Each structure stands twice: as structure tokens, then as C-alpha cells.
Amino acid sequence: MERLAVNGGKPVRDGMLPYGHQWIDDEDIAAVVRSLKGDLITQGPDIEEFERIVAEYCGARYAVAVCNGTAALHAACAVAGVAAGDEVITSPITFAASANAVVYCGGKPVLADIREDSINIDPDEIVKKLTPQTRALIPVDFGGNPCDLDRIMDIARDRKITVIEDAAHALGAEYKGRKIGSIADMTVLSFHPVKHITTGEGGMILTDNARYYEKLKVFHHHGIVRKPENGQWYYEIDEPGHNFRITSFQCALGMSQMKRLDGFIQRRREIVKKYDEAFSATGEIITPVESEFCRATYHLYVIQLVQELLKAGRKQIFDALRAENIGVNVHYVPVHMHPFYRKKFGYKPGDYPVAERYYDRAITLPLFPRMSDQDVADVIKAVNKVVEAYRK
Ligand SMILES: *Cc1c(COP(=O)(O)O)cnc(C)c1O
């Protein structure tokens, strides 16, 4: 058996392979430079053009681009009317921003446990958490695998609850043949460098609802409502909004990236197939699932360790993989474990057993379109090497 790097052996590769990474090419750079040479570097025409391209791709009527995905979630909660006294149900296994956005609006994030197979919020658990105060649901398409959207939309529709889908992982994904972005009342995207396309920082809200759209335009631009009948300069603030604007040159980058989105997704799925094939016979590892009727776009590839078959815990295996120069990660520390959520809302370990069990066993392997076949082979080799060393 080969000596593990963590025990002084030779690492599988030189140089750390990150878990996610952007792919910027010369055309992207040229697009940004072109935009920077224009008259308006913020609020220029590239913004509307980018919004139009993403909305069309996702099958949504309207889109509002903003400065990041967190601002997009915040804006969506605000225009859905989330305010003090309201409850919003989301998943414990998500980036904290999904819950933080509710807090920004004065609301209470209520968590509903996940399904063991998809790692997505369990609709049966949502139903248990409904109260007359429930104002919105924020399902998160974990890792790019869509939630059970028909059921979630049904739960919400009967009760006039707004569904804000956190699709930060799921640009391009499909549910029953429909593109993500065309189903929920509002769908939120992120263009952080590790996501499917990047604008550096950036985010977007997609909707078919004209009223939400108009409110989003106002909210992300200070709350400014123009009243030209009172003079060209004149505007009013009915309700203070935020400056959540994105810049024109970021949208130029986004548009250029959109041209390669389908290729990016294809490459991600190719790598996933290689991982699935490599690990399908490894009893110590559970590989991610693609839900029925869904086409996932795999922002993340999370393996779960079957602890009963291993001599080492998750932390030890994580450290061993890092020592092999595989930039593994963990997604995510459950929302209810964060000190703020414990103190403010009284959550405690044990509240969400399925989420916690998942969290204790999860390791995210590197996955991004620019990975070479050699990178993929290195990951597979390192995982096999480490599992072999710690096999019971
Ligand atoms: C990335 C991400 C966000 C936030 O997006 P930013 O652009 O980083 O602000 C929100 N939710 C989830 C699930 C994410 O992965």
C-alpha cells in the first residue's frame, strides 16, 4: 500500500487542485475591455442585454441582475414582502446566505430537514413547518440537482406563499423538461467564480411576475421611483432600497460566459460520469444522485463516507486528501449550527438529524469545467489511495 502524503508519503500531485474555479478566456477579456471603453461602465446597455440573454436561456419573462447572489436573495425576500414576524422555510444544508437573506428582512428562517437521497429540502418536512406566519419558501437546488418543485409549488400555491428558488448551483438544470428559472415565483442565481458562469461577483433574480419585477428594479436601485411628470430630474423614495447594482463590464463578461455555458455543463457532467464510474464499486463511498425527472448541472460533487466501513472519520480523511493536494471542501456547515442561529432562534445540534448525518459524512471533490483529464485522474487516484489506507 502506498504511503499517504499525510504520513510523509509523496502526494498524488504537485500543487493544490481547487474544488472550484472560473474559466476566463481571451474572448471574455476582450468583451470586458470593449465594455470598459464604452460611455457607461455601470448602468450601461450590457446590463439589460445580459438580463435578456439569461432570462431567455432559462425561460423566464424578466430578469434583474444585481451585485451578487446574496443581494439577489435579499431583494427577492424583500419584494415577496418578508418582514418582521414572518417565517421563511429553507434548507439547513445550504450556504448561510439563503437564511441570512431572511434575517436581513426581519424575518425568521425556519428550517425543514433534507431528504437523504437528494440532499434537498424534504417537502414532507416543509408541510410540518408551515404556520400562518409562513410567507415564503426558499428551496435550494443542492449541488445543481433540482428540488421536488411540483410538490413545493403545490404546497405554496394553496396558501399564497411565495417560492424563491435558490438556484445558485443550478443554472441550466432542468426539472421535468423545464429549465430552472421558469418554475418558481422567483429564481435566484449567483455568478461567483465557482458557479456555472461568472461575472466576478454577481447575481440575478428571474421571474414571470411583472409586479415582482417592477419592485426588484426599484429595490436594487436605492428605492428610487422616477416621476418625470414632475421634472426630468425628479424621483421619490417610498421605501429605502439598496444599491445592489452590478456594473456593465461585469455583464459583458457574463454575456461572453453565457456563450460557453452549455459546454461548461457538458464538461461537468462528463467529469461526474468519470467519478461515478470510478466510485460506484467502492462500498465506503456514496456518490451523489440525480433526481428522477431532473437534469442536474452539478455545481458540486459531494461524496458521503460510509463510516461503518472506515477506520477514520471525515476530518481525518479530509486532511489526508488535502495532503495529497486535492482541494476538497465541505458543503455546508448546517445553518442551525452557526452561533447566530443558535442564539437568536434557539436551534441546537440534533434538531435536523438527516442534515447532520449528511454533514458528518460529506466531502466535496473538485469539480469545474477547466479540470483536465489528468486532474480528474488525480482526484480518483487520491480518493482510492486514502480509502484503501483507512478501509476497515
Ligand atoms: C453562492 C451561493 C449563494 C450566494 O451567492 P453570492 O454570489 O456568493 O453572494 C447563495 N446560495 C447558495 C446556495 C450559494 O451557493
Side-chain angles (χ1 to χ4, degrees), residues 118-365:
S118 63
I119 321 301
N120 280 330
I121 195 164
D122 184 340
D124 294 333
E125 295 298 316
I126 294 178
V127 171
K128 289 184 201 163
K129 301 287 179 179
L130 292 168
T131 75
Q133 282 70 51
T134 308
R135 172 107 292 281
L137 308 178
I138 307 183
V140 182
D141 302 316
F142 183 81
N145 182 41
C147 292
D148 191 349
L149 290 169
D150 276 350
R151 277 214 57 207
I152 290 168
M153 294 307 291
D154 279 346
I155 292 167
R157 193 174 298 112
D158 294 347
R159 299 170 177 85
K160 295 205 160 78
I161 291 170
T162 306
V163 177
I164 301 165
E165 185 177 355
D166 184 340
H169 299 180
L171 175 58
E174 288 173 24
Y175 176 80
K176 297 190 179 170
R178 288 175 286 164
K179 272 261 158 60
I180 292 305
S182 67
I183 300 169
D185 298 307
M186 286 182 267
T187 302
V188 166
L189 301 173
S190 164
F191 308 128
H192 180 278
V194 297
K195 305 287 166 67
H196 288 295
I197 62 161
T198 191
T199 57
E201 297 283 356
M204 194 176 278
I205 309 103
L206 302 167
T207 186
D208 281 352
N209 183 313
R211 200 170 57 86
Y212 287 147
Y213 174 63
E214 292 306 329
K215 285 185 171 192
L216 289 165
K217 296 284 274 186
V218 171
F219 187 82
H220 95 298
H221 183 46
H222 304 285
I224 287 176
V225 181
R226 296 217 166 264
K227 298 272 172 74
E229 61 274 22
N230 297 340
Q232 292 257 335
W233 72 89
Y234 190 77
Y235 62 81
E236 290 176 350
I237 308 279
D238 294 328
E239 199 61 61
H242 288 264
N243 178 356
F244 282 166
R245 293 188 312 260
I246 193 168
T247 63
S248 221
F249 53 96
Q250 287 176 286
C251 291
L253 174 57
M255 275 191 275
S256 180
Q257 290 259 300
M258 277 302 285
K259 292 182 190 160
R260 310 217 299 292
L261 173 60
D262 285 334
F264 288 165
I265 292 170
Q266 200 186 332
R267 178 61 181 155
R268 282 181 184 270
R269 289 182 62 90
E270 229 172 69
I271 297 167
V272 165
K273 194 154 170 267
K274 285 179 200 272
Y275 283 163
D276 282 346
E277 281 166 9
F279 304 133
S280 63
T282 308
E284 291 80 2
I285 290 174
I286 298 167
T287 55
V289 303
E290 185 171 40
S291 294
E292 214 185 340
F293 311 121
C294 289
R295 185 171 186 272
T297 43
Y298 295 102
H299 163 56
L300 302 174
Y301 190 93
V302 179
I303 57 168
Q304 292 178 70
L305 305 171
V306 180
Q307 293 284 226
E308 300 72 27
L309 302 177
L310 291 160
K311 287 185 289 199
R314 191 264 309 272
K315 183 172 185 302
Q316 218 179 332
I317 289 176
F318 180 99
D319 290 343
L321 286 165
R322 278 278 177 101
E324 301 294 339
N325 281 328
I326 306 301
V328 287
N329 211 323
V330 173
H331 295 91
Y332 294 91
V333 177
V335 172
H336 66 287
M337 311 278 265
H338 291 296
F340 173 83
Y341 288 93
R342 291 197 202 192
K343 267 185 269 173
K344 172 95 176 170
F345 301 109
Y347 289 124
K348 56 188 186 307
D351 284 350
Y352 298 95
V354 187
E356 287 169 38
R357 188 172 132 90
Y358 156 80
Y359 169 66
D360 287 340
R361 315 187 323 163
I363 293 180
T364 305
L365 301 184

Side-chain angles (χ1 to χ4, degrees), residues 44-89:
D46 289 332
I47 298 178
E48 273 185 24
E49 187 65 7
F50 180 47
E51 289 169 341
R52 191 187 60 71
I53 287 170
V54 178
E56 193 174 301
Y57 180 91
C58 296
R61 198 165 297 155
Y62 308 108
V64 178
V66 294
C67 54
N68 58 63
T70 303
L73 282 164
H74 182 172
C77 286
V79 306
V82 175
D86 289 337
E87 296 178 356
V88 177
I89 301 174

